[in-house]
Amino acid sequence: MLRGEGAYRRHGTDAEPGTALLTLTSPGEDPHVREVAYGTRLRDVLPEAAHGLPALVGGFHGSWATWPTLASARVSVPGLAALGTPLGAGVLLVPDADTCPVELTSRIVTFLAGQSAGRCGPCLNGLPALAAAVRDLATGWGGAARAGELAALVRGRGACAHPDGTARLVRSLLATLSHEVAEHAAGGCTHASAAVAS
């Protein structure tokens, strides 16, 4: 931007000129910020160690995306929103192969449940209940139905968008990584199995 609007608009695409700042956390690398032109393939932004792995796109209020979705997507606000993975805060978190996305989501939702002002029902009661349901799912004590039910209940009912973002995260886990969810509901974990095998 220091070189003016014309120079900035030479990056990106005709429909979406300019650049985005992305905060990347991926296996084997320290978190870092990159300036990336709109229209860049996401697979070219992510390091090779992240290829094949799912990612949390948009930060803690974001959505899970599988590697096939990431590999075919481009850095684009409307483009990623159309895929169901809004760019949001521009954060891409790719856990390493030994990190279970169900357990990671449980930790995030527990954190988010403690970050409310506690001034309306969806935050005061709904988010702690949702966090407990996702914890139960992660530890094999509960199925996906309860977590999905609570995520639907808090959505659109808060005085702010905090419950909506938290519900988005949970709903994306249930829909996008359903094989991981099913493994946990059955009392297992594909990542624990992989760690034992290695």
Side-chain angles (χ1 to χ4, degrees):
M1 283 305 284
L2 293 177
R3 296 179 180 173
E5 179 188 352
Y8 177 74
R9 292 179 68 86
R10 280 198 287 273
H11 299 282
T13 66
D14 289 341
E16 201 172 8
T19 61
L21 291 177
L22 303 181
T23 302
L24 306 175
T25 301
S26 55
E29 293 194 2
D30 291 332
H32 61 283
V33 175
R34 283 188 60 185
E35 185 177 14
V36 179
Y38 286 114
T40 303
R41 296 191 313 172
L42 267 182
R43 69 180 302 141
D44 296 336
V45 175
L46 296 169
E48 193 170 330
H51 291 194
L53 300 172
L56 180 56
V57 179
F60 282 3
H61 279 168
S63 303
W64 284 101
T66 61
W67 173 249
T69 297
L70 297 168
S72 64
R74 293 184 179 271
V75 177
S76 167
V77 173
L80 286 168
L83 292 173
T85 56
L87 187 58
V91 175
L92 281 84
L93 169 60
V94 184
D96 62 43
D98 294 332
T99 299
C100 172
V102 178
E103 293 174 358
L104 177 58
T105 301
S106 175
R107 294 199 305 272
I108 293 171
V109 174
T110 297
F111 169 77
L112 292 174
Q115 299 306 301
S116 85
R119 296 182 61 88
C120 64
C123 273
L124 182 63
N125 302 310
L127 292 188
L130 180 57
V134 179
R135 268 196 310 275
D136 286 347
L137 176 61
T139 55
W141 287 98
R146 179 64 175 158
E149 177 184 86
L150 288 167
L153 279 173
V154 302
R155 184 176 174 220
R157 298 180 63 190
C160 71
H162 182 53
D164 295 358
T166 309
R168 179 188 303 115
L169 171 62
V170 173
R171 291 168 62 233
S172 77
L173 172 74
L174 300 177
T176 305
L177 301 178
S178 56
H179 61 291
E180 301 280 359
V181 171
E183 187 76 18
H184 276 263
C189 175
T190 58
H191 295 270
S193 303
V196 170
S198 61

